C-alpha cells in the first residue's frame, strides 16, 4: 500500500479548526500544564499568531481508505528581528512512523526562512519527548 500522507499549509476556517483540535490533543497528551503559555487565547485566533506575514501553520494529512484526515500540526511564528519559533508540533499516534514529523518540521523551517528568520528556536521536554528531540537534533537544533 502506498502512503499518500502529505503536509500542507493550513488555510481557511476548516483547516484552522483542525489545527486547533490537534493542538488541544497535544496539550491534553502532555504530563505537564501549559496554562502559563496562554494556549486558550492562542487557540481562539490561530491566524493571529501563525498567519499573515509573521507566521505559518501546517497540517499533516493522512489518506486512510480514501478519506483524508489531519493527523499532525506545527506552527512557526516570528518572535523577534530575524528570530522565529517553531510551536505546537504534534502527530496523532496513527500519524507517527511515516516521516510526517520531519516533513512538518522541514515545512516550518522553510517558512521561517521565507519570513526572514536567520534563527529558529523551539522549546521541548527532554524527559517525555525523546523521539521529537532526536528529530530536532537531526535537523540541527541544539540546547
Amino acid at each position: 500500500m502506498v502512503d499518500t500522507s502529505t503536509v500542507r499549509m493550513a488555510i481557511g476556517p476548516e483547516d484552522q479548526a483542525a489545527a486547533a483540535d490537534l493542538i488541544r490533543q497535544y496539550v491534553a497528551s502532555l504530563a505537564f500544564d501549559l496554562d502559563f503559555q496562554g494556549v486558550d487565547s492562542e487557540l481562539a485566533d490561530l491566524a493571529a499568531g501563525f498567519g499573515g506575514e509573521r507566521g505559518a501553520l501546517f497540517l499533516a494529512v493522512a489518506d486512510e481508505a480514501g478519506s483524508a484526515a489531519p493527523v499532525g500540526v506545527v506552527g512557526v511564528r516570528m518572535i523577534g528581528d530575524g528570530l522565529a519559533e517553531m510551536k505546537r508540533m504534534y502527530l496523532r499516534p496513527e500519524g507517527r512512523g511515516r516521516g510526517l514529523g520531519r516533513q512538518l518540521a522541514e515545512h516550518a523551517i522553510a517558512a521561517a526562512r521565507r519570513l526572514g528568520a536567520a534563527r529558529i528556536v523551539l522549546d521541548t521536554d527532554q524527559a517525555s519527548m525523546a523521539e521529537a528531540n532526536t528529530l530536532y537534533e537531526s535537523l540541527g537544533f541544539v540546547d
Side-chain angles (χ1 to χ4, degrees):
M1 181 174 184
V2 176
D3 188 351
T4 58
S5 301
T6 60
V7 172
R8 62 176 171 77
M9 189 170 280
I11 301 172
E14 188 174 309
D15 284 353
Q16 296 288 318
D21 182 53
L22 286 161
I23 293 169
R24 282 185 196 93
Q25 290 176 45
Y26 163 67
V27 170
S29 75
L30 298 173
F32 47 89
D33 189 352
L34 287 184
D35 283 348
F36 71 97
Q37 290 187 359
V39 177
D40 289 336
S41 62
E42 178 182 296
L43 289 170
D45 190 1
L46 283 174
F50 298 104
E53 297 178 14
R54 304 286 303 156
L57 192 62
F58 297 93
L59 290 173
V61 180
D63 188 359
E64 300 288 336
S67 176
V71 295
V73 65
V74 69
V76 64
R77 61 185 174 194
M78 297 301 293
I79 59 171
D81 188 29
L83 181 61
E85 179 182 33
M86 186 164 58
K87 294 287 287 181
R88 312 294 181 225
M89 188 156 103
Y90 175 71
L91 278 167
R92 287 183 180 150
E94 65 269 24
R96 298 174 189 165
R98 303 174 182 207
L100 289 170
R102 176 171 294 280
Q103 289 180 48
L104 282 166
E106 288 172 345
H107 275 74
I109 292 166
R113 288 186 179 130
R114 284 190 306 274
L115 293 165
R119 254 181 71 208
I120 183 169
V121 296
L122 59 85
D123 63 24
T124 186
D125 181 57
Q126 293 286 340
S128 66
M129 299 180 181
E131 289 180 48
N133 285 294
T134 299
L135 169 64
Y136 301 144
E137 289 170 6
S138 77
L139 291 166
F141 287 90
V142 295
D143 280 337

